[in-house]
Amino acid sequence: MRIGELAERAGTTTRTLRYYESRGLLPAHRGSNGYRTYDEADLKLLREIRTLQDFGFDLEETRPFVECLRAGHPEGDACPASLAVYRRKLGELDALIDELRSVREQVGAQLARAEHAMGELAAEATAAPGGPDPVCAVFPPEAPRTERRTQ
């Protein structure tokens, strides 16, 4: 198949395929007419790259999976180098999850503090009968509108 058909079947662009070729991820076979030609194995390489990128792997991280497929393995993650990339990516994800949990705890603590403060304000307002209810002002206050006359 030619580059346009491969791009369409893989759900990408010819420009992307040429980029992958320049990075050494997609082999460049040339027909007798000089056009790039591809086969089903190349489509499988592209699908592997695209799937991994959808999962958040950068292009260079897909290399061991592509090389595993090119070595004749039925799956791109059947090689030790691919497994090492999985392990490294899981470590990165675990670190991000830990960071998000920490941020969540901080935001939760801020919310609890703010709710407590609002409760105290409400209690003060009810302690002083006839006093105004606490309100949050809109910031910045809206300026009065004036009509503009055009000549």
Side-chain angles (χ1 to χ4, degrees):
M1 76 186 90
R2 300 221 347 232
I3 193 168
E5 181 184 350
L6 179 64
E8 184 177 327
R9 288 183 64 190
T12 190
T13 64
T14 58
R15 183 177 184 172
T16 298
L17 299 184
R18 287 191 297 271
Y19 178 69
Y20 291 167
E21 179 185 326
S22 74
R23 299 293 306 264
L25 292 169
L26 185 64
H29 310 289
R30 298 282 179 165
S32 59
N33 57 5
Y35 293 135
R36 292 174 176 90
T37 60
Y38 301 95
D39 58 22
E40 293 299 318
D42 297 320
L43 180 59
K44 188 171 184 175
L45 291 177
L46 283 173
R47 287 184 174 151
E48 184 81 7
I49 292 168
R50 304 273 301 171
T51 298
L52 291 168
Q53 286 192 306
D54 287 347
F55 290 157
F57 288 68
D58 66 36
L59 191 57
E60 197 54 38
E61 289 174 320
T62 69
R63 187 172 300 281
F65 298 86
V66 169
E67 290 172 355
C68 192
L69 285 171
R70 288 170 78 180
H73 295 279
E75 301 296 328
D77 58 7
C79 298
S82 302
L83 298 178
V85 173
Y86 275 155
R87 286 185 195 99
R88 187 171 47 250
K89 183 57 81 175
L90 281 174
E92 291 173 12
L93 291 170
D94 287 341
L96 288 170
I97 289 168
D98 290 344
E99 184 178 338
L100 286 172
R101 280 191 182 120
S102 174
V103 169
R104 188 187 190 293
E105 287 173 11
Q106 292 172 24
V107 171
Q110 284 294 100
L111 174 61
R113 183 202 53 76
E115 288 176 335
H116 179 73
M118 283 292 293
E120 286 181 351
L121 282 175
E124 287 176 17
T126 57
D133 288 336
V135 286
C136 295
V138 176
F139 186 81
E142 288 189 29
R145 294 183 182 205
T146 58
E147 287 188 35
R148 297 178 83 186
R149 298 182 96 163
T150 58
Q151 294 180 357

